[in-house]
Amino acid sequence: MPFINGKFYMNPAYGRALENARANESTDGTQGGHWVTIDGRHVLIQGRQEAQTPQASPNQLAHLRQVQKRRDEAKAEVGYGETSGIVPEKSADSPNNASPYQRSTWDPASTKNLQDARKNIMDISERNGIVKKSKPDDPNNKIQQSIWQDNLSVAKNSHGDMPGRYFFIRQEGKGPQRPPASAGFGQGKPISEYGPFRNVGGGDVPRGNRTFIDIYDK
Amino acid sequence: MTNRLLVILILTMVILAGLPSRPLLAQESTSVSGEIRQLGRGNDDRQIVATLAKAPRLAVQLLIDELRPVNETRILASEKRPEAEHVLWSIRALRYLTGGKDFCGQTRHEFDKSEFERNRKYWLYSRHRTCVSFFAMWPSRGTEYVAPQDAQNEIILKWRDWFKDQGASFDYKPLLNPKPEEWLW
């Protein structure tokens, strides 16, 4: 996958165009470059040539940003579809009766760990598209919207670089601890493991406070 | 007299030549049937399917005979449903032996808004988009969702019709090192 200006892009032409367009926003447009055609649109690819060339237009920039937004949302749908019922562990000093969705009671390390797990799952979805995708179905549901935002923020950093091709979510001590043999993966040791988290939703994983996300490469 | 003797001799040879092959065919059929009967019932199913690939045409014929509608709508990874799993594994084996062939069916079932039904609908439509698979797996949960009965019946009929029309002439090329999503999910 091409690595452009510190980011990975599925589509190299878009990646170059987007990064250069971003760079062009703070330049005077006289640094040269060449034009490519993307989806029928002419886009400036900045280069070292000394030719006098115009910048990407505002419309082109808007189009590229729209493409990037759609890509981020598609990734966020994976994280949301697969993990929306999972929340981080409670911090040690939070009250016993705190709602699991009360973010101020979340343990910071566990919160980061869950975000890392989501990124890994989103990265895996680039190689293995058989994943659950969904979005919040109620725009007024604050819990749904906050979890969606968590996934959206991770999606922006998902570039497919984290390892693994499969993942399995389990509740330690309840139910199966690895996928069934009929799944065709996960019969050996996972390559990495995230958790424990709290599964407060459904999604066919038993509820509980010892939820783990295992990553497998075969 | 010589001609009669010759005819008797030829007939005897033909009969004798046919004798060993009939038991062999019957033996092969019995062996393949035995393997198929074990599918989904707690053995190494992938190994069984690999064995079936040695006689794909016969195996496909016998696997289609095993197809029948199942009552389960969802099988969690923690659950054991050997009779339903037998049918699901027969579908998997058919996909494998035919190089990935798979049929889908239409359903009149109305999926409700419950989480279970939304997941069931999502996964059953995930492969073919416009019609449902006989079953589908949510890989990260190991859950199998099973199609409504009307779609199951249609898919079984499609397999039977296909074999009746093309089973004899079909070029059986089992999948080679397939990914799980090509035949298991």
Side-chain angles (χ1 to χ4, degrees):
Chain A
M1 187 170 297
F3 186 73
I4 302 158
N5 284 6
K7 290 175 184 165
F8 289 96
Y9 286 91
M10 288 282 284
N11 183 325
Y14 272 125
R16 277 192 296 273
L18 188 62
E19 289 304 318
N20 282 294
R22 280 174 177 158
N24 280 346
E25 284 182 305
S26 59
T27 65
D28 62 7
T30 59
Q31 293 180 1
H34 66 280
W35 288 87
V36 295
T37 303
I38 301 171
D39 284 354
R41 294 163 187 264
H42 296 291
V43 177
L44 173 67
I45 303 295
Q46 208 170 16
R48 294 290 180 195
Q49 296 96 328
E50 292 303 318
Q52 294 287 318
T53 49
Q55 295 180 358
S57 73
N59 279 349
Q60 288 159 351
L61 281 175
H63 171 71
L64 291 169
R65 287 208 184 89
Q66 193 61 34
V67 168
Q68 187 68 27
K69 185 169 179 261
R70 280 202 300 269
R71 190 212 75 104
D72 291 347
E73 285 182 354
K75 286 281 188 76
E77 285 177 20
V78 176
Y80 189 86
E82 291 283 354
T83 70
S84 61
I86 298 174
V87 297
E89 285 192 296
K90 263 194 314 197
S91 55
D93 56 351
S94 63
N96 283 338
N97 61 353
S99 160
Y101 299 110
Q102 198 176 330
R103 305 175 74 88
S104 60
T105 64
W106 290 356
D107 177 74
S110 179
T111 303
K112 182 185 180 306
N113 193 224
L114 180 55
Q115 290 293 79
D116 289 345
R118 286 175 171 148
K119 181 174 182 290
N120 206 149
I121 287 171
M122 291 175 199
D123 281 3
I124 284 173
S125 73
E126 288 190 10
R127 299 179 283 278
N128 166 15
I130 314 293
V131 288
K132 176 80 191 294
K133 297 175 188 168
S134 67
K135 296 170 80 165
D137 52 16
D138 180 359
N140 298 316
N141 184 318
K142 288 181 179 172
I143 293 171
Q144 286 185 3
Q145 292 302 323
S146 71
I147 294 173
W148 172 250
Q149 288 304 319
D150 286 342
N151 281 285
L152 207 49
S153 69
V154 174
K156 289 171 182 163
N157 297 318
S158 167
H159 308 299
D161 50 331
M162 293 184 85
R165 196 170 190 282
Y166 311 99
F167 57 96
F168 184 71
I169 304 181
R170 63 187 168 85
Q171 188 65 241
E172 190 179 68
K174 286 188 204 169
Q177 298 301 301
R178 63 169 59 174
S182 54
F185 72 93
Q187 301 308 295
K189 287 184 78 172
I191 57 171
S192 53
E193 175 188 286
Y194 297 94
F197 307 117
R198 291 179 286 171
N199 180 31
V200 295
D204 299 350
V205 179
R207 294 179 187 203
N209 296 334
R210 300 289 296 172
T211 310
F212 289 85
I213 300 173
D214 294 334
I215 308 294
Y216 293 93
D217 59 3
K218 62 181 178 181
Chain B
M1 190 69 176
T2 310
N3 281 349
R4 272 181 71 186
L5 269 175
L6 194 63
V7 168
I8 289 167
L9 186 67
I10 289 168
L11 279 174
T12 309
M13 284 172 69
V14 166
I15 289 165
L16 286 175
L19 276 179
S21 69
R22 277 183 199 158
L24 274 178
L25 273 175
Q27 235 174 25
E28 186 183 33
S29 178
T30 307
S31 161
V32 173
S33 287
E35 296 283 345
I36 287 173
R37 270 198 300 275
Q38 294 181 56
L39 277 173
R41 291 172 172 146
N43 300 289
D44 186 343
D45 296 306
R46 297 173 75 178
Q47 184 56 50
I48 292 170
V49 174
T51 305
L52 296 179
K54 292 172 187 166
R57 189 194 169 283
L58 175 61
V60 164
Q61 183 178 5
L62 296 173
L63 283 164
I64 291 171
D65 288 343
E66 296 295 299
L67 299 182
R68 57 174 176 70
V70 299
N71 292 324
E72 283 78 357
T73 51
R74 174 178 67 172
I75 304 172
L76 294 170
S78 57
E79 296 176 328
K80 298 268 182 268
R81 297 280 190 275
E83 293 315 301
E85 286 293 352
H86 175 67
V87 177
L88 305 196
W89 265 102
S90 296
I91 295 276
R92 289 185 175 109
L94 284 167
R95 289 174 180 167
Y96 184 94
L97 296 173
T98 57
K101 180 171 282 300
D102 192 44
F103 291 110
C104 62
Q106 302 294 336
T107 181
R108 298 174 71 87
H109 175 77
E110 289 187 12
F111 296 92
D112 65 36
K113 297 287 182 194
S114 67
E115 186 191 14
F116 158 62
E117 280 280 274
R118 278 186 291 150
N119 284 335
R120 187 180 177 212
K121 183 181 180 185
Y122 179 91
W123 288 106
L124 288 173
Y125 278 102
S126 65
R127 181 186 285 253
H128 297 282
R129 303 291 172 193
T130 56
C131 51
V132 296
S133 301
F134 196 95
F135 75 98
M137 179 179 275
W138 185 353
S140 70
R141 310 314 203 247
T143 302
E144 290 159 324
Y145 291 98
V146 186
Q149 295 260 334
D150 56 351
Q152 291 186 43
N153 285 325
E154 184 184 329
I155 293 165
I156 292 168
L157 272 179
K158 282 181 175 176
W159 275 109
R160 287 181 184 154
D161 288 347
W162 168 78
F163 190 79
K164 198 166 67 180
D165 293 344
Q166 298 178 45
S169 59
F170 186 75
D171 184 14
Y172 293 92
K173 285 183 181 163
L175 293 169
L176 194 64
N177 300 319
K179 293 174 183 167
E181 57 266 38
E182 290 178 76
W183 67 298
L184 293 171
W185 303 350

